[in-house]
Amino acid sequence: MRNSQSGRLILNRIRIALAAAVAMAGLAATMPASFGGEIDYPSFQWTEPTYGAFLKELKAAFEQENAGVTVKETFIPFASFANQMFVDISSGVAPDVLTAFDPDFKRYIEADLLEPLNAYLEAAGIELEGFISPVDLAMKDGKIYGIPFASNPRALFVNKQLLESAGLAVPTNAEEFEKVVRALRDTGNQTFGLALSAYSGGPSQQFLEYSPIFASFGARFFTKGEPTADTPEMLKALSFYKMVVDENLVPKGAKFEVFRPMFVNGKVGMYAAGPFMAAVTKAGNPETYKNLVTIPLPLGSGRPISVTSFLAIPKGAKNKDEAAMLLVAILQDKWQARLVELASVIPGRKNTIPASFLEQNPWFETFNRLAGEAVSYAPEGMEQYGSDVVALIGNRIEAMLFGGVTPEDAAKSIQSDMVAFVASKK
């Protein structure tokens, strides 16, 4: 992106001629007289201590530098966000900015609900090659329908102090991992070796939480569009999941709003999460933060996964050009760096992580390294049906965890469901 010049961001032809040449620098823009309005930006991230801090800082600067444009911060809870956005946009009640994760984004593209961003990005001098690899999920037929906002490769956070106090080393394989899980379980003090989602309902959130564990075992529900839920690796992953729940080795029944604070407050020894968790921990408990180390999950030889959020502009948006201005602002080096500093995530454009941040936060290097090899947690080859697939899998997982179904039968049922689902789409 061309932003080496000193001066203001000039996009005054973005509304009239989207192929205009633009000089990139600061945040401000010279706009046509008709340019203005309120950018409707609903998100569950507005109230988060990490993303929320970034978004509010961005909003304040953007509004100050772009007179006549405001950003409306509408909070929608995470649990209902994905479904509400798709219903609203597909029924013609579209916001100006859409936030969507990997398993949901493709269905917007396939339903032809999003505005192509090529002309906006070209006008701003932003090359597609400069985006991180998850951008592929936002592409179709040479058009780009969303920008990667933030990517969170999954790795294992370890509270080194908890392990050392129990005479345990950071695990290097599946056997040592299970040993830590068992050894740190203390019913008297309500401490756990591992935080892992295990409650009834919420299949999308559940999937997000157990996917890193499954991926480390090498378990994949789909490979190149074909169901692969009945492999030995999947059986190992399902068996482990059922074991830790049956034996109360994880905070059974607790949602992430509960077990994440438990980790922050030193009640959990290990938690598989994205780099954002470090920022959450630092804000909530500096003592735990200083004892954090990060490692790739050591359960098997499977590739790590990443969870990426995308920002897009619905076709039904009322203020498309203003929304594009905001997305372009986010992609500037300054704001890419601030996103890393405030939210501890991999930003959407390559080579924008400040060197000083890496030096001051050695735990981040694990994620920086994994970002190059991680794959999306969306079902491979079936991304446009991600939400449907996750719901079907969730029903079978729940039956295994709480309905007495064996891991063997769960694997067979998931495979059967996926085969039937694929056949229904042909």
Side-chain angles (χ1 to χ4, degrees):
M1 179 164 57
R2 299 190 301 272
N3 63 350
S4 58
Q5 301 178 9
S6 60
R8 291 190 171 191
L9 171 65
I10 302 172
L11 288 173
N12 53 327
R13 294 191 62 194
I14 212 169
R15 191 180 188 89
I16 301 167
L18 298 179
V22 193
M24 303 291 295
L27 179 63
T30 302
M31 300 175 293
S34 60
F35 197 95
E38 183 178 65
I39 300 171
D40 185 11
Y41 187 165
S43 179
F44 52 89
Q45 296 174 329
W46 282 108
T47 61
E48 295 181 353
T50 52
Y51 290 111
F54 170 80
L55 290 175
K56 289 177 181 179
E57 185 175 310
L58 172 74
K59 166 184 161 68
F62 186 81
E63 291 177 347
Q64 181 179 359
E65 301 277 358
N66 294 284
V69 182
T70 57
V71 180
K72 180 183 179 182
E73 50 179 280
T74 302
F75 170 72
I76 299 176
F78 180 84
S80 58
F81 184 82
N83 287 336
Q84 181 174 334
M85 283 297 96
F86 191 76
V87 170
D88 285 353
I89 292 172
S90 59
S91 62
V93 186
D96 296 311
V97 177
L98 164 69
T99 299
F101 285 114
D102 316 40
D104 299 306
F105 199 74
K106 277 285 188 181
R107 65 173 174 167
Y108 286 98
I109 297 176
E110 296 302 320
D112 195 27
L113 294 172
L114 302 179
E115 189 74 20
L117 301 180
N118 298 69
Y120 289 116
L121 297 176
E122 288 170 9
I126 301 171
E127 298 180 353
L128 301 186
E129 293 77 12
F131 286 112
I132 58 176
S133 59
V135 74
D136 293 343
L137 286 174
M139 302 287 297
K140 182 180 181 181
D141 299 330
K143 294 182 179 180
I144 180 171
Y145 292 90
I147 64 167
F149 174 46
S151 189
N152 279 279
R154 269 20 186 187
L156 188 67
F157 280 97
V158 180
N159 185 329
K160 185 174 59 174
Q161 191 276 330
L162 275 184
L163 270 66
E164 289 179 348
S165 66
L168 299 166
V170 174
T172 61
N173 55 47
E175 291 73 24
E176 293 176 2
F177 185 88
E178 184 175 334
K179 180 181 178 181
V180 173
V181 172
R182 292 184 178 280
L184 291 184
R185 179 66 177 110
D186 186 330
T187 56
N189 293 321
Q190 279 301 294
T191 56
F192 294 85
L194 176 68
L196 180 59
S197 182
Y199 64 93
S200 180
S204 294
Q205 183 61 42
Q206 299 271 56
F207 189 79
L208 191 64
E209 294 290 341
Y210 62 71
S211 285
I213 300 291
F214 280 41
S216 182
F217 276 110
R220 299 170 65 93
F221 292 103
F222 278 90
T223 302
K224 297 181 180 178
E226 295 299 322
T228 51
D230 57 353
T231 62
E233 292 81 9
M234 182 64 71
L235 183 57
K236 286 182 181 179
L238 290 167
S239 297
F240 175 82
Y241 197 8
K242 183 171 176 59
M243 179 271 291
V244 295
V245 173
D246 284 352
E247 298 184 23
N248 294 305
L249 295 175
V250 295
K252 187 175 179 179
K255 298 182 180 181
F256 76 95
E257 297 97 325
V258 174
F259 62 70
R260 283 182 183 173
M262 290 176 64
F263 178 82
V264 170
N265 292 319
K267 290 292 187 179
V268 174
M270 302 184 297
Y271 177 41
F276 68 88
M277 195 62 205
V280 172
T281 304
K282 186 176 184 179
N285 191 334
E287 183 65 24
T288 299
Y289 177 77
K290 75 179 186 180
N291 287 301
L292 288 185
V293 295
T294 58
I295 61 168
L297 276 153
L299 299 174
S301 58
R303 291 180 67 181
I305 61 159
S306 64
V307 179
T308 303
S309 57
F310 294 86
L311 298 179
I313 302 173
K315 278 191 172 181
K318 295 179 180 179
N319 299 293
K320 295 178 184 176
D321 297 337
E322 291 85 347
M325 288 278 290
L326 184 64
L327 267 56
V328 166
I330 289 172
L331 292 173
Q332 293 178 65
D333 286 356
K334 168 187 175 180
W335 291 105
Q336 294 285 280
R338 286 302 284 157
L339 182 59
V340 177
E341 292 163 353
L342 293 172
S344 299
V345 294
I346 303 293
R349 287 180 46 243
K350 300 173 184 175
N351 304 316
T352 55
I353 299 172
S356 59
F357 183 84
L358 288 171
E359 292 171 4
Q360 296 165 14
N361 300 278
W363 58 266
F364 193 81
E365 182 53 41
T366 298
F367 296 98
N368 193 31
R369 186 174 70 254
L370 292 181
E373 59 183 277
V375 295
S376 170
Y377 84 115
E380 185 185 36
M382 295 292 287
E383 293 90 353
Q384 68 269 39
Y385 305 115
S387 295
D388 296 325
V389 168
V390 168
L392 288 170
I393 294 170
N395 290 334
R396 297 301 186 178
I397 294 287
E398 187 168 320
M400 180 189 75
L401 296 180
F402 307 112
V405 175
T406 66
E408 292 81 4
D409 286 342
K412 292 176 184 177
S413 296
I414 294 171
Q415 180 71 7
S416 177
D417 288 347
M418 296 302 99
V419 169
F421 183 82
V422 171
S424 73
K425 300 302 177 184
K426 291 182 177 179

